[in-house]
Amino acid sequence: DTEVTQTPKHLVMGMTNKKSLKCEQHMGHRAMYWYKQKAKKPPELMFVYSYEKLSINESVPSRFSPECPNSSLLNLHLHALQPEDSALYLCASSPRLAGGEAELFFGEGSRLTVL
Amino acid sequence: AQSVTQLGSHVSVSEGALVLLRCNYSSSVPPYLFWYVQYPNQGLQLLLKYTTGATLVKGINGFEAEFKKSETSFHLTKPSAHMSDAAEYFCAVSRFSGAGSYQLTFGKGTKLSVIP
């Protein structure tokens, strides 16, 4: 199994809603990532989890709350979002290898629309 | 700090023609370089990567790239474009960020259009 699975594929929410994005991988990878991608732009790193601990937070607003319940799962909890948060949210994972050789395996993304 | 620059935000080629997508990198240490492809409404898929060793790297779908240290380049090529190659292509550089994770810095992307 070489897949990163993201659910839901599409999500529409109001600014007062609370929702969650989910990501799952069964490749034994111990690093997992959330990226945000706006239209016609490259992905931007939001969070990195390594061994289920948050290791990088790229100054993301607190209305985005990541969670890593176990080594296979990564969640992104969403609350009080703004319309400008509408984007494609990509989850990725990577194996632990020396140096920077490890590639990131990406899911297909969750397309979020905030009304 | 590491960065990549992709020359040309949009490249159009005729079906069967050579594909050349340009990427230049900036890195203070030996870089690990990647090309990812993104089809519409999908995630990113790895085309190929350069870590160490052979400077000509072959990837999936007939793509290849050559690492040229003297030119700080990692251009992506394919001898003959196919309609299915139409997509967004991202060059990226990676560095180990500690605790088993990696920082991947992307270029701005190049949209490839293939004309029948």
Side-chain angles (χ1 to χ4, degrees), chain A residues 33 37 45 50 97 99-100 104, chain B residues 32 36 38 46 94 99 102-103 107:
Chain A
Y33 310 74
Q37 186 180 27
L45 183 64
S50 181
L97 295 175
L104 268 62
Chain B
Y32 299 104
Y36 281 86
Q38 186 175 32
L46 181 73
S94 171
Y102 301 87
Q103 288 263 44

Side-chain angles (χ1 to χ4, degrees), chain A residues 40-51:
Chain A
K40 301 185 189 303
K41 298 288 187 184
E44 295 177 351
L45 183 64
M46 300 175 72
F47 302 104
V48 181
Y49 272 82
S50 181
Y51 295 90

Side-chain angles (χ1 to χ4, degrees), chain B residues 65-81:
Chain B
E66 186 170 9
F67 172 67
K68 291 187 176 181
K69 186 177 179 181
S70 61
E71 298 178 8
T72 62
S73 68
F74 190 56
H75 301 332
L76 182 71
T77 60
K78 181 175 180 177
S80 177

Side-chain angles (χ1 to χ4, degrees), chain A residues 40-79:
Chain A
K40 301 185 189 303
K41 298 288 187 184
E44 295 177 351
L45 183 64
M46 300 175 72
F47 302 104
V48 181
Y49 272 82
S50 181
Y51 295 90
E52 295 92 70
K53 289 190 172 81
L54 183 65
S55 61
I56 295 175
N57 176 341
E58 292 285 3
S59 303
V60 179
S62 60
R63 57 185 184 269
F64 294 92
S65 175
E67 178 196 21
C68 190
N70 60 55
S71 60
S72 300
L73 293 174
L74 185 66
N75 298 321
L76 186 62
H77 302 298
L78 313 170
H79 174 53

Side-chain angles (χ1 to χ4, degrees), chain A residues 31 33 35 37 42-43 45 48 50-51 56 58 88 90 94-95 97 99-104 106-108 111, chain B residues 32 34 36 38 41-44 46 49 51-52 90 94-104 106-108 111:
Chain A
Y33 310 74
Y35 280 82
Q37 186 180 27
L45 183 64
V48 181
S50 181
Y51 295 90
I56 295 175
E58 292 285 3
L88 182 67
L90 294 163
S94 65
L97 295 175
E101 300 178 26
E103 66 188 80
L104 268 62
F106 284 86
E108 295 210 342
R111 185 162 298 283
Chain B
Y32 299 104
F34 303 78
Y36 281 86
Q38 186 175 32
N41 299 313
Q42 292 191 24
L44 278 72
L46 181 73
K49 65 179 179 181
T51 55
T52 57
F90 293 99
S94 171
R95 69 175 175 86
F96 188 62
S97 56
S101 64
Y102 301 87
Q103 288 263 44
L104 198 62
F106 290 94
K108 292 187 175 181
K111 182 177 180 179

